[in-house]
Amino acid sequence: MQEKLFKIARVGLHYFEEPCISGESGSGTIFFSGCTLKCKFCQNYSISALNEGILVDRETLKKCMLYLQDLGANNINLVTPALYVNLLKNSLYETKSALKIPIVWNSSGFESEKSLEGLEGLVDIFLPDYKYSDDDLAWEYSNAKGYNEIAFKAISKMRKMCPVDEFDDNGLMKKGVIVRHLVLPGTVDNSLGVLDRIAEIDKDMYVSVMSQYFPTEQVKDHPVLGRRITEEEYDKVINHFFEVGLHNGFSQDPSSAIEEYVPDFNLGNLNKILSNL
Ligand code: SF4
């Protein structure tokens, strides 16, 4: 019997990623419990901070990936995988040859360059966050020391591993990097600094500038985090995107700031997969 090493909160198709990731058939998400950051405003709080989920072994994880592929997923989307990086390298090595769809590394950006070594050839698409250029804010909101430099180096490394963005005839990404930035209320300067740093890495990089922030229960009374962002804040960030020479990316309609986009962490299809083992 294999050791149960991975804690998973949800397995299922997800339709609210960037269009080149979700497509029409959905992205095959596997949500791992825990996260390298501890964001006060986390929209996945029950799994990132409270560690909800169940433990599974390597064989079950493999079955999850194959199940999602059979379901018609456009890719296998490993969400908050960084705490399991070394175990995942072995797992992906074993499973990769059975997969015809890309593997997506969907992470917080707060991970060391060293930990990413060895993912080359196993991960096809990196989808990291770049949350902060302001380290004080990173400490205050996400309990992260030195976030800016760590994320800069990690994303630079990801870009070296995946230097070219490739899409199929349907516009689905097959290889590449998309950096996500969630605009937070009252912190436009932090967002502008993030875009400056991404442009320093590569002006051709795809950047997803997200407006979907909404205050969760944990921060609803917070003096700054207790509100959604304004259109003016979002527009300033989008203008800066072009000012610094970025030209590939995705924007969101501010109306997308709705809780319905956050999946239920009720294990999704995991129970079905476990009952067929
Ligand atoms: S990086 Fe994302 S998943 Fe992790 S705690 Fe922050 S908001 Fe939550």
Side-chain angles (χ1 to χ4, degrees):
M1 209 165 106
Q2 286 186 350
E3 209 182 335
K4 294 186 174 179
L5 304 163
F6 302 95
K7 200 165 191 193
I8 294 179
R10 186 175 195 277
V11 174
L13 293 175
H14 191 55
Y15 298 92
F16 302 115
E17 309 285 29
E18 288 73 9
C20 64
I21 299 292
S22 284
E24 288 192 6
S25 327
S27 177
T29 50
I30 300 176
F31 284 82
F32 292 89
S33 298
C35 184
T36 54
L37 292 180
K38 294 277 168 262
C39 304
K40 285 183 176 171
F41 51 82
C42 182
Q43 296 170 355
N44 299 347
Y45 191 81
S46 62
I47 62 166
S48 68
L50 305 182
N51 274 324
E52 284 179 5
I54 57 171
L55 285 165
V56 303
D57 61 19
R58 231 168 45 215
E59 190 54 29
T60 308
L61 180 63
K62 181 177 181 179
K63 288 216 157 58
C64 291
M65 295 192 216
L66 297 176
Y67 175 87
L68 289 165
Q69 175 168 262
D70 289 348
L71 220 53
N74 289 317
N75 44 57
I76 301 298
N77 187 345
L78 307 174
V79 186
T80 54
L83 294 178
Y84 305 86
V85 61
N86 288 325
L87 296 165
L88 277 169
K89 282 173 196 165
N90 294 331
S91 207
L92 292 176
Y93 185 76
E94 279 176 9
T95 315
K96 187 78 179 163
S97 61
L99 291 173
K100 298 175 193 70
I101 51 179
I103 298 275
V104 182
W105 189 261
N106 182 343
S107 68
S108 71
F110 195 59
E111 50 210 313
S112 72
E113 287 174 281
K114 192 159 175 53
S115 72
L116 295 168
E117 275 167 21
L119 287 179
E120 213 163 354
L122 296 176
V123 167
D124 303 285
I125 299 169
F126 286 97
L127 187 57
D129 289 346
Y130 199 149
K131 289 185 175 301
Y132 304 106
S133 58
D134 178 336
D135 278 339
D136 292 339
L137 209 58
W139 176 245
E140 187 185 342
Y141 286 172
S142 297
N143 208 26
K145 265 195 186 148
Y147 177 93
N148 186 14
E149 213 46 40
I150 289 171
F152 181 83
K153 285 183 178 159
I155 293 168
S156 301
K157 170 106 186 161
M158 292 173 188
R159 193 53 173 164
K160 273 193 194 117
M161 291 198 274
C162 281
V164 180
D165 303 304
E166 290 175 22
F167 298 85
D168 70 7
D169 293 343
N170 297 318
L172 291 170
M173 194 174 226
K174 292 293 163 195
K175 275 185 189 302
V177 181
I178 302 174
V179 182
R180 284 177 166 169
H181 176 67
L182 176 69
V183 181
L184 295 172
T187 57
V188 165
D189 285 349
N190 174 63
S191 294
L192 305 189
V194 165
L195 295 178
D196 290 343
R197 298 240 63 195
I198 297 171
E200 243 181 84
I201 300 171
D202 183 354
K203 288 190 170 64
D204 293 332
M205 193 115 75
Y206 277 79
V207 183
S208 180
V209 184
M210 302 164 85
S211 66
Q212 69 184 44
Y213 176 81
F214 66 84
T216 57
E217 198 51 34
Q218 284 70 34
V219 291
K220 70 177 181 359
D221 298 322
H222 189 280
V224 185
L225 292 172
R227 67 164 171 87
R228 292 182 175 175
I229 64 166
T230 63
E231 260 180 52
E232 198 189 348
E233 285 172 325
Y234 191 65
D235 288 349
K236 278 186 189 165
V237 179
I238 292 294
N239 288 341
H240 197 66
F241 170 95
F242 292 108
E243 279 162 13
V244 296
L246 293 165
H247 57 103
N248 288 321
F250 306 90
S251 59
Q252 274 183 329
D253 187 316
S255 68
S256 58
I258 51 173
E259 290 182 52
E260 284 72 30
Y261 284 7
V262 179
D264 267 343
F265 296 112
N266 56 1
L267 303 179
N269 299 115
L270 189 54
N271 278 328
K272 206 185 286 176
I273 296 164
L274 287 170
S275 64
N276 286 327
L277 279 177

